[in-house]
Amino acid sequence: MASQLKNLSDFSHTVIPSAAPYRFGIVVAEWNADVTRALLEGAYQTLIKHGAKEENIQTYPVPGSFELTSGADLLLKQGNLDAVICLGCVIQGETRHFDFICDAVANGVSNVAIKYSKPVIFGVLTTDNQQQALDRSGGKHGNKGDEAAITAIKMAELTVTLNG
Ligand SMILES: Nc1c(NC[C@H](O)[C@H](O)[C@H](O)CO)[nH]c(=O)[nH]c1=O
Ligand SMILES: CC(=O)[C@@H](O)COP(=O)(O)O
């Protein structure tokens, strides 16, 4: 499996634009808070590392990953953001609830991005167990929060470049 081959947060092979010109929203789910707090820290510190200004990063909690879609919509409705990062952690339980949440949030954030023509980044872990989540939120497979922040910077630049 790909994730067993490398740290997924290794970006040494790519050019990352400055985040300084852009305004970011972050919506973070409170379910599995030990994991989502680590995702948030990774995303926030990565934005700052690449030049984002603290005053240009708005962070809001939502109860669970299912609410990330409406959280992103509410943020973009304000009209003053260049990208929104959605952070969550959905861990398989005994029922099919996992499937419905994962499908809903993946499709939901895609629809919000299209609705506003703004990047909405899917920084949601969808794992079989907690260890897989810990491994991807600052563990041996990196931090998906870092990856989400890099993606947000790149997509914000592309959006501004193409939209003028
Ligand atoms: N089981 C997980 C949830 N469940 C809660 C839903 O996201 C949602 O808040 C609820 O269905 C009410 O609408 N959320 C996660 O983020 N992670 C989980 O593992
Ligand atoms: C993803 C979930 O909603 C899940 O954690 C809830 O567990 P269960 O499927 O056992 O109700």
Side-chain angles (χ1 to χ4, degrees):
M1 181 180 296
S3 58
Q4 293 171 346
L5 301 177
K6 61 183 179 181
N7 181 319
L8 301 178
S9 302
D10 177 8
F11 286 93
S12 59
H13 60 287
T14 182
V15 175
I16 300 165
S18 168
Y22 308 117
R23 299 154 302 175
F24 300 92
I26 304 178
V27 192
V28 54
E30 294 172 322
W31 259 77
N32 301 310
D34 54 335
V35 173
T36 61
R37 277 196 294 263
L39 294 174
L40 175 58
E41 182 66 11
Y44 182 86
Q45 293 303 333
T46 299
L47 291 175
I48 296 294
K49 172 184 172 183
H50 290 280
K53 302 177 179 69
E54 288 185 20
E55 61 267 26
N56 285 346
I57 304 172
Q58 299 178 35
T59 302
Y60 294 93
V62 293
S65 292
F66 188 86
E67 284 73 37
L68 289 171
T69 299
S70 49
D73 190 283
L74 289 165
L75 279 184
L76 285 172
K77 195 172 289 182
Q78 294 176 28
N80 62 350
L81 295 174
D82 296 301
V84 171
I85 299 168
C86 294
L87 301 174
C89 175
V90 189
I91 300 175
Q92 178 65 64
E94 296 176 356
T95 71
R96 293 170 56 224
H97 197 222
F98 171 91
D99 299 330
F100 290 99
I101 296 171
C102 295
D103 288 349
V105 69
N107 290 310
V109 300
S110 295
N111 292 336
V112 171
I114 293 166
K115 175 179 176 181
Y116 291 98
S117 296
K118 290 285 179 71
V120 181
I121 310 308
F122 183 74
V124 181
L125 296 176
T126 56
T127 66
D128 295 332
N129 53 59
Q130 185 173 25
Q131 187 57 51
Q132 287 179 350
L134 294 171
D135 290 345
R136 290 159 178 79
S137 53
K140 66 181 180 180
H141 292 314
N143 190 322
K144 286 288 185 185
D146 298 18
E147 297 174 35
I150 298 296
T151 303
I153 297 167
K154 289 182 170 186
M155 287 304 295
E157 183 188 60
L158 178 63
T159 304
V160 169
T161 299
L162 294 179
N163 286 349

